[in-house]
Amino acid sequence: MSELSERKKQILAAVVEQYIKTGEPVGSKGLLSTTGMTVSSATIRSEMSELAAMGYLEQPHTSAGRVPSQKGYRYYVDNLMKPREIDELNRRVLEAGISSAAGDPEKLIVQASNVLADLTKCACVSTAPGGEAMIIRKIELVPVGIHSAMLVLLTSNGILKSRLCRLDCELTPKICEEFYNIVDSCIIGKPASEISVVSMQTVAASVDGDALAMLPLMAAVCELAGSTANSRITLGGSSNLFFCKDYGSDAVELLEFLNKREPISAVMDGITSPLDVKIGRENLYRQLANSSVIVAKYSVGGKDSGTIGLIGPTRMDYENIIPCVKYLTNLVGKMITQAIEE
């Protein structure tokens, strides 16, 4: 890729930013008035023609101005966009939007998706790790009656699940003690994916005490562990896509794609850096060919624990959206870490 001159860089940045703002093709005269450049309109028009020949700009109609190509957006994001921190208003909106869920990691992820989607008018996808990465950190048994107890399960990435469990026999202190012995020796520290009905039945049957009393408790643990997988993906703001004129009728197909767990999970898991921006056809799936995907990782306890990503048109406000994604992922990681430690 040949290096662009400073003037071409200035013109490309101005075209991208004006097109993001208006959604209308950018002409040389309009560009001259917005940039304040001291060259003629003919010079700008010539430079824009060269940028188009190099693949950075496109001309949607023969008589229209220019719009950025996917290559132009890529160059803008990598080389021309000014690095910036989140502005004060957006910071306050994000903080206020998730503050009520500070002590509930799972609810926090849901609210983070919704508030970021509302702020950016894009769709937001959040994930928590699955498989070997989702470790059972804690299980609590809270008696609520003579024959019933509330089971609470917490994973290493902050997913919290609970359910009411009823026993045929009386829930005695001895049964509670036996339950915690099993939990400590056979469940805590294990991946949630390894907790199966068969393994829990085997554990219950091996208990020296009342094995029949353990069966419903072990079955409940198994159900809770299995349900953590369903909490892995959260989708917020998908309806925003219907109001984006850039998609038109393609919004329906894109929404159907976002509602499929396996491909969207692969998109979110495919990032290798703390923040990744994929534009248009850089994305793995055909349904995302006209979209940009911005994904950032959040960490819990110093370990990568999940992702928060935005999906929207390639004509998105990268300069403002990227700082929002960065700030929110850092904030979510800190809040989940604090909730787990408490």
Side-chain angles (χ1 to χ4, degrees), residues 128-143:
E132 297 297 322
M134 195 182 296
I135 304 299
I136 295 179
R137 177 187 174 100
K138 191 174 185 180
I139 295 178
E140 291 286 345
L141 179 67
V142 183

Side-chain angles (χ1 to χ4, degrees), residues 41-61:
S41 177
T43 298
I44 292 182
R45 187 161 55 250
S46 174
E47 294 278 31
M48 290 174 73
S49 295
E50 291 183 24
L51 284 167
M54 298 168 73
Y56 293 101
L57 298 179
E58 296 174 342
Q59 192 169 18
H61 307 290

Side-chain angles (χ1 to χ4, degrees), residues 109 112-118 120 122-126 234-238 240 258 268 308-311 328:
I109 295 297
S113 292
N114 290 332
V115 70
L116 187 60
D118 288 344
T120 62
C122 296
C124 183
V125 181
S126 302
T234 300
L235 176 62
S238 55
N240 289 334
L258 293 180
M268 301 294 281
I308 296 176
L310 279 178
I311 298 173
L328 185 61

Side-chain angles (χ1 to χ4, degrees), residues 282-333:
E282 295 173 357
N283 289 294
L284 179 63
Y285 293 93
R286 173 187 58 80
Q287 293 88 342
L288 297 173
N290 295 316
S291 299
S292 286
V293 181
I294 301 173
V295 184
K297 296 180 180 180
Y298 64 86
S299 299
V300 175
K303 297 181 179 179
D304 288 342
S305 188
T307 55
I308 296 176
L310 279 178
I311 298 173
T314 53
R315 189 180 64 87
M316 66 166 61
D317 188 358
Y318 300 94
E319 192 172 43
N320 284 307
I321 287 177
I322 289 175
C324 289
V325 175
K326 284 182 178 179
Y327 184 80
L328 185 61
T329 49
N330 288 334
L331 183 59
V332 165

Side-chain angles (χ1 to χ4, degrees), residues 31-79:
L31 201 61
L32 187 61
S33 64
T34 58
T35 60
M37 295 178 69
T38 57
V39 297
S40 67
S41 177
T43 298
I44 292 182
R45 187 161 55 250
S46 174
E47 294 278 31
M48 290 174 73
S49 295
E50 291 183 24
L51 284 167
M54 298 168 73
Y56 293 101
L57 298 179
E58 296 174 342
Q59 192 169 18
H61 307 290
T62 54
S63 60
R66 310 282 177 163
V67 302
S69 65
Q70 292 183 2
K71 180 179 178 181
Y73 282 123
R74 179 81 269 165
Y75 191 89
Y76 172 78
V77 170
D78 290 345
N79 302 286

Side-chain angles (χ1 to χ4, degrees), residues 2-250:
S2 58
E3 179 62 27
L4 299 182
S5 68
E6 289 304 314
R7 188 158 64 194
K8 281 187 173 64
K9 289 179 182 179
Q10 184 179 0
I11 291 172
L12 177 57
V15 171
V16 171
E17 289 166 4
Q18 188 167 327
Y19 183 62
I20 286 173
K21 184 180 298 183
T22 67
E24 299 294 332
V26 181
S28 57
K29 291 183 179 179
L31 201 61
L32 187 61
S33 64
T34 58
T35 60
M37 295 178 69
T38 57
V39 297
S40 67
S41 177
T43 298
I44 292 182
R45 187 161 55 250
S46 174
E47 294 278 31
M48 290 174 73
S49 295
E50 291 183 24
L51 284 167
M54 298 168 73
Y56 293 101
L57 298 179
E58 296 174 342
Q59 192 169 18
H61 307 290
T62 54
S63 60
R66 310 282 177 163
V67 302
S69 65
Q70 292 183 2
K71 180 179 178 181
Y73 282 123
R74 179 81 269 165
Y75 191 89
Y76 172 78
V77 170
D78 290 345
N79 302 286
L80 305 179
M81 188 176 68
K82 302 176 184 67
R84 53 178 296 181
E85 297 296 322
I86 186 172
D87 65 44
E88 184 67 15
L89 178 60
N90 288 342
R91 182 186 67 78
R92 289 181 180 178
V93 168
L94 293 178
E95 290 178 354
I98 64 175
S99 60
S100 64
D104 186 337
E106 191 172 357
K107 183 179 178 183
L108 179 64
I109 295 297
V110 173
Q111 290 194 190
S113 292
N114 290 332
V115 70
L116 187 60
D118 288 344
L119 181 64
T120 62
K121 305 306 178 188
C122 296
C124 183
V125 181
S126 302
T127 69
E132 297 297 322
M134 195 182 296
I135 304 299
I136 295 179
R137 177 187 174 100
K138 191 174 185 180
I139 295 178
E140 291 286 345
L141 179 67
V142 183
V144 294
I146 297 175
H147 297 279
S148 59
M150 183 67 69
L151 275 174
V152 182
L153 181 147
L154 176 68
T155 65
S156 56
N157 61 300
I159 290 179
L160 190 70
K161 292 290 183 179
S162 63
R163 75 180 294 273
L164 187 65
C165 180
R166 299 189 183 279
L167 287 74
D168 294 330
C169 61
E170 182 179 344
L171 183 62
T172 64
K174 183 174 183 297
I175 290 175
C176 293
E177 182 181 355
E178 290 176 351
F179 173 78
Y180 279 117
N181 287 337
I182 292 173
V183 166
D184 291 340
S185 61
C186 303
I187 300 175
I188 298 300
K190 297 287 182 63
S193 58
E194 291 185 6
I195 308 303
S196 65
V197 173
V198 173
S199 66
M200 290 299 96
Q201 287 177 339
T202 302
V203 168
S206 67
V207 175
D208 293 334
D210 192 345
L212 290 177
M214 286 297 110
L215 283 174
L217 293 173
M218 292 299 101
V221 169
C222 183
E223 182 180 322
L224 289 176
S227 69
T228 59
N230 296 326
S231 303
R232 188 161 189 268
I233 299 177
T234 300
L235 176 62
S238 55
S239 61
N240 289 334
L241 304 178
F242 286 109
F243 299 98
C244 179
K245 67 177 184 178
D246 299 64
Y247 285 123
S249 59
D250 293 337

